[in-house]
Amino acid sequence: MALRPDNSSDLLIDGKLVPGSRGAFDIVNPATEAVIGQAADAGPDDLDAAIEAARRAFDTTDWSRDHTFRATCLRQLRDALLAHADEFKALATEEIGAPSFLTGGPQFQGPAEDLGYFADLAENYGWTKDLGEAKPMGIPNVREVRYEGAGVVGAITPWNFPHQINFAKIGPALAAGCTVVLKPAPDTPWAAALVGKVIAEETDFPPGVVNIVTSSDHALGEQLVRDPRVDIISFTGSTATGRKVMAAASETLTKVFLELGGKSAFIVLDDADLAGACSMAAFSVVTHAGQGCAITTRLLVPRAKLDEAIAATRDAMAGLRADDPSKPGTICGPLISAVQRDRVEGYIKLAVDEGGTIECGGGRPAGKDKGFFVEPTLISGLDNSARVAQEEIFGPVLVIIAHDGDDDAIRIANDSPYGLSGMVYGSDEDRINHVVNSVRTGTMGVNGGIWYAADVPFGGYKASGIGREMGVAGFEEYLESKAVARPA
Ligand code: NAD
């Protein structure tokens, strides 16, 4: 089966692939600006039908109770996706602008493989826990807690790592026994819709268990949040939209799980390998053109070594030019759209207006008149109060800031509305641990350590979110617990 024989995609509603009631909308390759095809454009009635199907599948079938069947379906999906890996990877480069080195990892291959981890959880999780006997009001009782899928999940996802985020939601939600309505971002509909095609044509998922509704209209996200038939909203996106989601969900008291923005710090201690650290910081911030919520975008270096660090980072960035993501070796591809490029360029201009110095980059790459590219950019001369140090830019832009010792670096790292991730480079284990324990973020790397994996809970402190995705903690977000007691 070819994933998109006519360069178009359908909605998946109640087990059927159907067109959108509003027709179709264009998908643009961000590296070339060419229209590469169309996705079905859903309207409110399509979403309504998808929610109804998910509700019915949860309420009237055995899906939530048959742990073994769920594991089987998830493994079927993993295997079917991996059988199409070459097509999905090529599409991720075309649709998302993902460099090919990432499509073999978090931009497709890794998250597809990780569905197996969630299948194992469906099978092996302790669905009941014996609490033994107690004597409430003097009467002996035996008690247990039973865990159940929480119901219908509305999953709303962004465009930057769409496969990773879509699978990190539908994998654990389905493993937990929930049914799902997935509404992906309008910029990357195929990453979701073609998974829907695989589900419909190559797996045994019952009708209504997974529904995928692509739309050019952000308002469908809000409709999903406000619908009282939905039990959980699992949202990944910007902090501004996350606030709206939480406010809207308060009307129906729907549980919200939020993965939001970040402005993570890369802390270099004075006993670190400075050149190695700066080179890693440059590599991180240009990866996928900086369009990652957990990417470190503030480089904090010892004041005495500031000039040396600027030179080392500039040199590293010079070898990481923004380029065609399908070229082997490209690390920094395009931004997803003209809107995002304008936003990033606006921040670079703001840095100059605020008195900053552009050490390298700052514009569009020479010789590229098509594609939403921005050069890897290093900004110096500002402190942590500057807007470019406080706000999420979501581009290949690094702000370098001097610190006056370990505690000052920790203070600067924590002087942020966000708390998603971070990195520390140093040689002394005690000092490294002091930093790791003091920075208020959901993940930390040490000397280049990579924490990302299916079994690692990922999420943020403060304005970076509520809850955890992936790992057992991410799976448990989709469970309800029921305490049961009977006389002993
Ligand atoms: P966005 O907030 O604009 O959109 C995210 C999703 O929400 C899209 O599907 C969109 O259609 C939908 N949406 C828009 N308005 C809505 C509303 N009022 N109610 C419900 N849904 C609505 O984000 P984006 O621009 O697509 O993605 C970039 C942002 O995502 C960045 O801020 C980034 O940090 C964040 N992000 C966070 C994580 C994480 O795990 N913490 C991961 C990736 C991206």
Side-chain angles (χ1 to χ4, degrees), residues 156-160 165 183-186 218 221-222 225 235-238 241 244-245 259-262 293 392 394 420 458 464:
I156 303 175
T157 56
W159 41 261
N160 60 328
I165 298 165
K183 195 219 77 67
H218 292 295
E222 186 176 347
V225 176
F235 173 83
T236 299
S238 63
T241 309
K244 289 186 200 161
V245 166
E259 292 290 354
L260 308 175
C293 52
E392 187 178 49
F394 234 53
L420 196 51
F458 170 69
S464 289

Side-chain angles (χ1 to χ4, degrees), residues 450-472:
I450 299 168
W451 38 260
Y452 171 76
D455 60 347
V456 174
F458 170 69
Y461 290 30
K462 303 193 275 182
S464 289
I466 297 176
R468 292 292 178 270
E469 192 143 78
M470 315 275 283
V472 175

Side-chain angles (χ1 to χ4, degrees), residues 313-348:
T313 312
R314 210 171 33 211
D315 286 353
M317 280 188 165
L320 297 164
R321 298 187 182 289
D323 208 345
D324 178 353
S326 64
K327 255 195 205 169
T330 297
I331 308 295
C332 184
L335 297 168
I336 191 71
S337 62
V339 171
Q340 283 302 116
R341 184 182 54 191
D342 288 351
R343 179 187 148 92
V344 171
E345 289 177 340
Y347 271 111
I348 294 170

Side-chain angles (χ1 to χ4, degrees), residues 279-452:
S279 159
M280 176 57 85
F283 178 84
S284 302
V285 82
V286 309
T287 298
H288 194 36
Q291 301 169 108
C293 52
I295 286 176
T296 43
T297 51
R298 293 180 291 155
L299 176 57
L300 313 186
V301 299
R303 191 173 301 281
K305 298 184 177 178
L306 179 61
D307 290 344
E308 200 186 329
I310 290 172
T313 312
R314 210 171 33 211
D315 286 353
M317 280 188 165
L320 297 164
R321 298 187 182 289
D323 208 345
D324 178 353
S326 64
K327 255 195 205 169
T330 297
I331 308 295
C332 184
L335 297 168
I336 191 71
S337 62
V339 171
Q340 283 302 116
R341 184 182 54 191
D342 288 351
R343 179 187 148 92
V344 171
E345 289 177 340
Y347 271 111
I348 294 170
K349 181 174 177 308
L350 178 68
V352 174
D353 292 347
E354 286 189 313
T357 302
I358 307 300
E359 297 287 352
C360 64
R364 300 180 186 183
K368 279 212 176 300
D369 53 353
K370 288 282 180 200
F372 309 121
F373 294 94
V374 171
E375 291 175 305
T377 299
L378 178 65
I379 297 169
S380 69
L382 294 171
D383 68 21
N384 196 56
S385 65
R387 278 185 60 193
V388 289
Q390 287 290 316
E391 297 175 20
E392 187 178 49
I393 298 175
F394 234 53
V397 181
L398 185 62
V399 183
I400 191 165
I401 298 168
H403 70 73
D404 294 309
D406 301 6
D407 285 329
D408 192 46
I410 292 164
R411 178 191 65 74
I412 297 170
N414 285 335
D415 175 19
S416 168
Y418 297 109
L420 196 51
S421 190
M423 178 67 77
V424 55
Y425 264 64
S427 315
D428 182 282
E429 211 40 50
D430 289 342
R431 289 175 63 191
I432 287 172
N433 276 327
H434 176 55
V435 173
V436 169
N437 294 337
S438 307
V439 173
R440 300 197 63 232
T441 58
T443 54
M444 279 296 287
V446 175
N447 290 333
I450 299 168
W451 38 260
Y452 171 76

Side-chain angles (χ1 to χ4, degrees), residues 5-280:
D6 53 1
N7 283 340
S8 66
S9 66
D10 291 315
L11 312 176
L12 173 61
I13 299 178
D14 206 8
K16 295 188 190 66
L17 295 170
V18 294
S21 61
R22 287 177 174 169
F25 62 103
D26 287 343
I27 304 173
V28 173
N29 178 331
T32 63
E33 301 182 37
V35 173
I36 53 174
Q38 282 81 34
D41 200 1
D45 291 349
D46 301 311
L47 183 62
D48 183 70
I51 298 170
E52 188 57 31
R55 186 77 258 167
R56 200 210 58 247
F58 185 81
D59 290 339
T60 67
T61 75
D62 265 350
W63 173 254
S64 67
R65 284 173 286 277
D66 193 341
H67 310 317
T68 309
F69 179 53
R70 297 204 305 277
T72 303
C73 290
L74 279 165
R75 290 190 189 115
Q76 275 179 336
L77 177 58
R78 174 200 58 194
D79 295 346
L81 291 169
L82 292 175
H84 289 287
D86 289 346
E87 275 173 284
F88 272 113
K89 287 188 212 170
L91 275 168
T93 298
E94 258 188 280
E95 184 187 28
I96 311 163
S100 21
F101 90 101
L102 285 175
T103 63
Q107 286 284 23
F108 176 73
Q109 183 85 21
E113 289 170 359
D114 289 347
L115 291 172
Y117 169 83
F118 297 112
D120 293 348
L121 271 179
E123 242 167 19
N124 302 328
Y125 189 70
W127 292 96
T128 55
K129 286 195 177 64
D130 184 357
L131 296 184
E133 197 176 310
K135 290 183 181 167
M137 290 172 276
I139 304 163
N141 270 266
V142 286
R143 298 95 25 85
E144 67 179 15
V145 180
R146 297 179 188 178
Y147 295 93
E148 306 175 339
V152 174
V153 173
I156 303 175
T157 56
W159 41 261
N160 60 328
F161 280 79
H163 285 300
Q164 195 280 321
I165 298 165
N166 293 341
F167 295 156
K169 296 196 185 305
I170 66 175
L174 296 171
C178 296
T179 59
V180 175
V181 177
L182 170 63
K183 195 219 77 67
D187 310 79
T188 52
W190 275 349
L194 299 178
V195 172
K197 183 173 163 76
V198 171
I199 289 172
E201 297 181 348
E202 301 183 41
T203 72
D204 294 327
F205 279 96
V209 164
V210 191
N211 304 274
I212 298 178
V213 180
T214 55
S215 178
S216 60
D217 187 356
H218 292 295
L220 264 69
E222 186 176 347
Q223 182 188 338
L224 187 56
V225 176
R226 290 188 183 278
D227 195 296
R229 293 168 292 179
V230 175
D231 297 291
I232 297 182
I233 287 293
S234 180
F235 173 83
T236 299
S238 63
T239 295
T241 309
R243 285 198 177 94
K244 289 186 200 161
V245 166
M246 196 165 173
S250 71
E251 283 178 28
T252 43
L253 288 177
T254 302
K255 175 179 171 181
V256 289
F257 162 68
L258 304 173
E259 292 290 354
L260 308 175
K263 191 74 193 180
S264 300
F266 190 123
I267 299 174
V268 185
L269 304 182
D270 62 11
D271 61 353
D273 161 17
L274 187 75
C278 291
S279 159
M280 176 57 85

